[in-house]
Amino acid sequence: MKQIFEELHLLPVLDNFKHRGHSLSKLIIGMVSYKMTENHSTIKCHQWMNNNPFLLTELQLDSFGKDVLYRGMGKIGENIHSILYHILQVLKNEYDVGLDMVFIDWTSIHFEAKISDLIKYGKSRDHQPDRPQVTIGLALDERSKLPVGLTIQPGNVNDQTHFKKTFNQIKSGLRTGSCLIFDAGASGDPNFDLIVANKMKYLTRMKLNQSDVQKHLNTFDKEEWMRVVTGKKDEEIYGKKIVFPSRTKYLYFSQNLYDDVISNRRKRLEKEYDEAMELQNTIQSKKKPRKKYRNSNHFLLTHLSFTFPLTGLSRKEAIDNAFKQSITGKEGFFELVSIKNFSLHEALNFYREKDGVEKLINSIKNEIHLRPTRVWTPEEIDGSILIAFLAQLVISMLRFKHKSLRRISTKFIIQSLKNFALTIIIGKNGMKRRVLSNFDWINTLIFCQKDPG
C-alpha cells in the first residue's frame, strides 16, 4: 500500500491537509489496508492498528485514540476534490492514461440512518427502497482499466443530473475528441449539449420511441439489415445505421435478446395468471386478500373491487391472449446514439465494453465492501467512500502493472495478499528475525515483481 501511495505521490498531498499530530497519509494507508483485510467498523480498524506494534512502527505512528481516524476520514472528505484531481493528473502525466474513451456509471449505497442533506430517499440500486441512500458516480478509463473519477451526491439525485458532476470532475483529464460512454439513464439533450460544447463525443443507449417502431422496426428484415459479427459463437445480431446532421443512430436486433424477452414475458404472465386465480378463489371464499392486494393502514378504510375478465377461457387461452396484447414491436431491439461516426460493429463493441465500469462498481461494493458505512456527516461519508475508492485503485494499479493479473478478480487478488504471512521471531538477545511464508503466484508477482520460480 505504501508503495502504490508513493508512486501516486499521495503522501505529501495528504499530509498537507493536516499539519499537527499524527501523519494523515500514514493513517489513511492504515485505513485502506484494513479495508482490504478485515473491513469492519472504524473502531475495529483503530483496534487493528493499535494492537499491532509492528504495524505502528512500519507506519511510523504512535498509539492513538479512535477519534483520530474519524477526524482523518473527515479531513480527506473535506478535500476529496483536490485528492481526486491530483490522482487524475498523475495517472494522465506519469502513466499515460489518455482518457480517449471513458466509461461512466452510477450506483447507490443505503444507510441505516435518518435522512440528512446528503442521505436521501431515491431510486435504490441496492434493492433497499425503504432505506435512505447516497448516489455515487464512477469513471473508468477504457484502455488502462483504471478508475479515474468519483462523485458523491444526495440519494435523490438522478443520473441525468449526476452526469454533470461526474463530467466536471474528470473534465480536466479529458482531451478534445474524448468519447464518453454511459447508459440511457443519463441520456438527454442537456448532457449531449454539454459534451459537444466541450468539443468531446459520446456514445450512449437511448430508449426506443414509437417513431422507431413505425419507421424501422415494423419493417425489419434480416436480409436488409447488416449482420454484425461480435465474435461470440451463435450470437445473431443485425444492425442498421441512420445518419442525421447532428448525430448517428445505431439500431440493433438481437435474436438472443428477443428469445429471452419473449420467454421471460410468458413466464411472468403465467405467474400473474396463477396469482389472479388465487385471488379470485380467496374473494369467492370471502377471505381477506393477501396483504399486497389491500391497504394495511389501520387508519384508512378502503373498499377494493377486482374484475376477472377470464371467464370462459382456459389457462393457455388467457395467457396467449394477454401475451398478444403485450407485444409492442420493440422486443429484441435496442438503440445506440453517438456524435462520433462509428461502424455498427465498433459502436456495439465499445458500448459492451462499458460493463468494465459495472464490474468496477460490483468490485467496490461486493469485494472491497463499500459498506458498512457507519458515519453520518457529509465529510466523513465522502471520506469513507474515498477510502474504498483508493482500495480499488490499488487493485486496479496492480492489474495495470502486471498483465498476468488483468483477468484475475479483485476477490482473488485480495485473498492472495491476505494469505501472505510475515512471522517476526524475537530472540533472547532482542534480535528480530523475519520469516515470509504462504507465497502463491499472485503475491509473488506483486511483491517480487516476477513470476514464481
Side-chain angles (χ1 to χ4, degrees), residues 128-249:
Q128 296 286 346
D130 59 332
R131 296 285 185 270
Q133 62 182 22
V134 300
T135 57
I136 300 170
L138 287 165
L140 179 76
D141 177 62
E142 183 266 340
R143 185 174 59 83
S144 66
K145 300 298 185 289
L146 289 172
V148 293
L150 168 70
T151 50
I152 304 163
Q153 291 292 293
N156 59 353
V157 171
N158 60 38
D159 290 354
Q160 274 213 7
T161 303
H162 201 155
F163 174 88
K164 300 178 182 67
K165 299 291 183 181
T166 308
F167 175 78
N168 288 328
Q169 197 266 312
I170 63 173
K171 187 168 68 173
S172 63
L174 299 173
R175 305 177 181 182
T176 299
S178 290
C179 185
L180 305 177
I181 301 179
F182 48 93
D183 218 338
S187 299
D189 287 336
N191 291 338
F192 295 160
D193 293 342
L194 177 64
I195 295 169
V196 174
N198 284 273
K199 299 180 180 179
M200 297 171 196
K201 303 183 185 301
Y202 60 82
L203 172 65
T204 183
R205 185 166 179 167
M206 294 285 286
K207 295 180 179 178
L208 290 164
N209 55 44
Q210 201 58 37
S211 174
D212 294 320
V213 176
Q214 294 173 356
K215 290 182 180 179
H216 307 290
L217 309 192
N218 283 342
T219 60
F220 168 70
D221 187 336
K222 291 183 179 181
E223 297 297 327
E224 295 180 1
W225 287 38
M226 182 179 292
R227 178 74 182 266
V228 181
V229 179
T230 63
K232 293 185 178 180
K233 187 178 180 181
D234 300 328
E235 184 172 36
E236 192 177 345
I237 292 185
Y238 300 86
K240 183 177 184 179
K241 184 175 174 180
I242 306 167
V243 180
F244 297 99
S246 61
R247 64 188 70 169
T248 301
K249 179 186 290 188

Side-chain angles (χ1 to χ4, degrees), residues 36-208:
M36 292 172 60
T37 51
E38 303 299 328
N39 187 39
H40 295 296
S41 62
T42 304
I43 293 176
K44 293 288 186 181
C45 178
H46 165 261
Q47 296 172 354
W48 179 77
M49 294 176 69
N50 279 270
N51 292 342
N52 190 334
F54 298 108
L55 180 59
L56 290 176
T57 300
E58 182 67 28
L59 291 174
Q60 299 175 330
L61 290 171
D62 298 323
S63 297
F64 55 86
K66 63 183 180 182
D67 291 341
V68 172
L69 293 184
Y70 285 104
R71 288 197 296 269
M73 201 182 301
K75 188 64 68 174
I76 63 171
E78 290 174 12
N79 298 279
I80 186 171
H81 299 296
S82 298
I83 295 169
L84 291 169
Y85 176 82
H86 169 82
I87 291 172
L88 182 61
Q89 297 307 312
V90 171
L91 293 178
K92 180 180 177 181
N93 297 326
E94 298 191 19
Y95 289 87
D96 194 29
V97 176
L99 284 84
D100 297 308
M101 187 169 289
V102 179
F103 305 118
I104 309 175
D105 204 357
W106 297 269
T107 187
S108 63
I109 59 166
H110 67 275
F111 288 77
E112 305 293 336
K114 297 179 180 179
I115 62 172
S116 66
D117 291 340
L118 185 60
I119 305 173
K120 301 278 189 181
Y121 288 101
K123 179 184 176 182
S124 176
R125 278 83 158 188
D126 278 342
H127 308 292
Q128 296 286 346
D130 59 332
R131 296 285 185 270
Q133 62 182 22
V134 300
T135 57
I136 300 170
L138 287 165
L140 179 76
D141 177 62
E142 183 266 340
R143 185 174 59 83
S144 66
K145 300 298 185 289
L146 289 172
V148 293
L150 168 70
T151 50
I152 304 163
Q153 291 292 293
N156 59 353
V157 171
N158 60 38
D159 290 354
Q160 274 213 7
T161 303
H162 201 155
F163 174 88
K164 300 178 182 67
K165 299 291 183 181
T166 308
F167 175 78
N168 288 328
Q169 197 266 312
I170 63 173
K171 187 168 68 173
S172 63
L174 299 173
R175 305 177 181 182
T176 299
S178 290
C179 185
L180 305 177
I181 301 179
F182 48 93
D183 218 338
S187 299
D189 287 336
N191 291 338
F192 295 160
D193 293 342
L194 177 64
I195 295 169
V196 174
N198 284 273
K199 299 180 180 179
M200 297 171 196
K201 303 183 185 301
Y202 60 82
L203 172 65
T204 183
R205 185 166 179 167
M206 294 285 286
K207 295 180 179 178
L208 290 164

Side-chain angles (χ1 to χ4, degrees), residues 95 165 248 310-311 337 411 434-435 440:
Y95 289 87
K165 299 291 183 181
T248 301
L310 303 173
T311 307
V337 172
K411 175 182 177 180
R434 295 171 176 244
V435 180
D440 58 36

Side-chain angles (χ1 to χ4, degrees), residues 347-383:
L348 179 61
N349 186 54
F350 284 131
Y351 183 78
R352 283 185 165 181
E353 283 190 37
K354 191 185 71 67
D355 74 341
V357 71
E358 295 168 359
K359 291 176 180 177
L360 180 75
I361 288 174
N362 178 71
S363 177
I364 289 180
K365 294 179 77 169
N366 300 317
E367 296 177 352
I368 297 293
H369 299 294
L370 182 56
R371 298 188 77 251
T373 307
R374 297 191 178 98
V375 288
W376 320 122
T377 68
E379 296 79 15
E380 290 177 349
I381 291 172
D382 287 354

